[in-house]
Amino acid sequence: MTSFKRARILSVGTYVPDTIMTNKDFESFLDTSDEWIVTRTGIRERHIVPRGSSALVSDFGTNAARIALERSGVAPEEVDGIICATVTPDSLYPSTACTLQANLGCKNAFAFDILAACAGFVYAMSIANSMILSGQAKTILIVGAEILTKTVDWTDRATCILFGDAAGAAVVQGTNEDEGILSTCLGSDGVHGDILHFSPWGEKRFMYMRGNDVYKQAVRLITEIGQKAVAAAGLTIDEIDLLIPHQANIRIIRAVGEHLHMPPEKVVTNLERYGNTSSASIPLALNEAWGEGRIKQGTTVLFASLGGGLAYAGAVVRF
Ligand code: UT7
């Protein structure tokens, strides 16, 4: 297979379930309020699967990927690889990516999952970019899909109010044009693994988070990886048209925007309607920005994210 100068994002597609849970809905079973949640997080509502639902994350990813494929004009058999980022796979194996391959009819694709929590989509973008530039593949479907509400403790008011369910997918393809993924930077800090984790085997299994600690690390490391990605692209921050950060908390996003000297009008946010959807949050925000005409040919976007692990990642893409 030939190697390419760049890898481009051809298209994006998303999926969210129909059911909407508002902040008010939490007031009936938790000591919380719409006012607290909006002020502390910026979230007003989130799409969720009904409690006890048998919904599959692979179906979420399939729905998002079908839209991305259709928009790109790429046929399923032209896809060389599928990388699915998820912390809520259907099962440990087969991988969700293999199920996606079967559902989509991508019979010529390799498929594997990666786990980098909320940074998963940018990690997948980085892996796809490297595989395309090294000539291992021409076209890779990257997917971030999560049903996080299946993993939260609904009695823990500090975590369950934050999350929503969603999927996003993008078609990444090799090109010899100048536009495309200009840089990707990955980072991890396993020393802080305990501040955001899922319980080990054998215990009653929930997500645990020391919110305040994650908050501080998020502001610091998302800023840091964003700066690194911009420098690696050979650009300065003034040359970035849009920042698409992980949608975890509006206060984290504002602080990162300030540290990076990005004015609010250049920062994409949509967490007020979706909450934190982990690996799906970046494609969900990208899809919206693209659909609203904020991304045109030549627009340069900085992606930056952090999640459990800790794992964090940044990327600069010129569309
Ligand atoms: O995707 C990446 C992973 N996640 C994140 O990036 C999340 C990062 N962290 C955060 O977004 C914030 O830390 C939270 C939104 C989770 C919490 O906000 P905070 O401003 O850090 O609040 P806090 O944890 O310091 O808690 C302040 C108070 C506490 O009460 P006391 O001890 O002061 O009496 C909490 O018990 O707010 C209380 N509290 C709540 N009150 C009403 C915590 N959750 C709630 C709630 N409703 N839902």
Side-chain angles (χ1 to χ4, degrees):
M1 202 173 275
T2 44
S3 57
F4 297 93
K5 187 170 169 187
R6 296 251 187 249
R8 281 180 61 208
I9 298 181
L10 294 186
S11 63
V12 66
T14 60
Y15 171 79
V16 290
D18 291 336
T19 308
I20 293 177
M21 185 168 190
T22 66
N23 291 347
K24 275 257 169 251
D25 293 331
F26 285 96
E27 293 179 7
S28 64
F29 64 96
L30 279 179
D31 179 15
T32 190
S33 65
D34 174 51
E35 199 264 332
W36 190 96
I37 300 171
V38 172
T39 315
R40 297 289 181 128
T41 71
I43 298 163
R44 291 182 187 278
E45 59 187 36
R46 65 289 286 145
H47 290 249
I48 60 157
V49 298
R51 214 86 71 86
S53 157
S54 56
L56 293 172
V57 111
S58 57
D59 287 336
F60 276 38
T62 301
N63 293 337
R66 281 210 174 105
I67 296 169
L69 283 172
E70 202 180 295
R71 287 178 176 167
S72 69
V74 168
E77 31 324 321
E78 290 176 70
V79 175
D80 301 311
I82 300 173
I83 306 173
C84 181
T86 182
V87 291
T88 52
D90 292 351
S91 62
L92 276 181
Y93 48 89
S95 67
T96 301
C98 280
T99 308
L100 286 169
Q101 183 206 15
N103 290 352
L104 296 164
C106 295
K107 59 182 184 187
N108 298 313
F110 59 80
F112 61 93
D113 287 358
I114 59 158
L115 199 159
C118 305
F121 193 80
V122 184
Y123 262 73
M125 193 192 295
S126 180
I127 297 166
N129 184 47
S130 304
M131 295 186 85
I132 289 169
L133 295 187
S134 67
Q136 288 182 78
K138 178 181 179 189
T139 306
I140 298 184
L141 184 63
I142 56 172
V143 180
E146 307 284 7
I147 306 185
L148 279 173
T149 59
K150 284 190 182 178
T151 71
V152 297
D153 176 355
W154 289 95
T155 65
D156 178 4
R157 65 179 183 169
T159 54
C160 71
I161 49 106
L162 297 172
F163 297 98
D165 303 325
V171 177
V172 184
Q173 191 171 66
T175 175
N176 285 316
E177 304 292 319
D178 288 331
E179 291 80 23
I181 299 171
L182 304 185
S183 70
T184 66
C185 290
L186 306 182
S188 301
D189 187 357
V191 168
H192 289 112
D194 60 326
I195 66 177
L196 175 52
H197 72 277
F198 190 65
S199 27
W201 298 112
E203 289 178 20
K204 202 168 175 201
R205 312 199 77 197
F206 290 125
M207 172 204 301
Y208 292 89
M209 181 168 72
R210 297 216 304 269
N212 236 273
D213 293 333
V214 177
Y215 185 102
K216 288 178 204 147
Q217 296 296 338
V219 172
R220 184 173 72 83
L221 293 169
I222 295 175
T223 303
E224 201 176 288
I225 205 74
Q227 287 165 335
K228 269 192 189 164
V230 173
L235 300 177
T236 58
I237 205 76
D238 332 333
E239 294 171 284
I240 302 295
D241 300 309
L242 278 186
L243 167 65
I244 301 189
H246 171 47
Q247 307 286 309
N249 184 317
I250 194 68
R251 293 183 295 140
I252 295 176
I253 294 174
R254 284 193 190 127
V256 168
E258 279 169 26
H259 292 321
L260 288 173
H261 307 293
M262 295 283 293
E265 61 275 15
K266 285 187 168 184
V267 182
V268 177
T269 61
N270 66 358
L271 84 168
E272 63 274 17
R273 278 168 289 118
Y274 300 106
N276 179 346
T277 58
S278 190
S279 66
S281 97
I282 293 236
L284 223 53
L286 168 63
N287 184 59
E288 216 162 278
W290 214 338
E292 287 166 356
R294 296 176 79 183
I295 296 178
K296 302 188 179 69
Q297 195 180 353
T299 304
T300 307
V301 179
L302 169 62
F303 297 95
S305 192
L306 170 137
L310 299 174
Y312 49 100
V316 175
V317 179
R318 183 160 291 147
F319 284 82

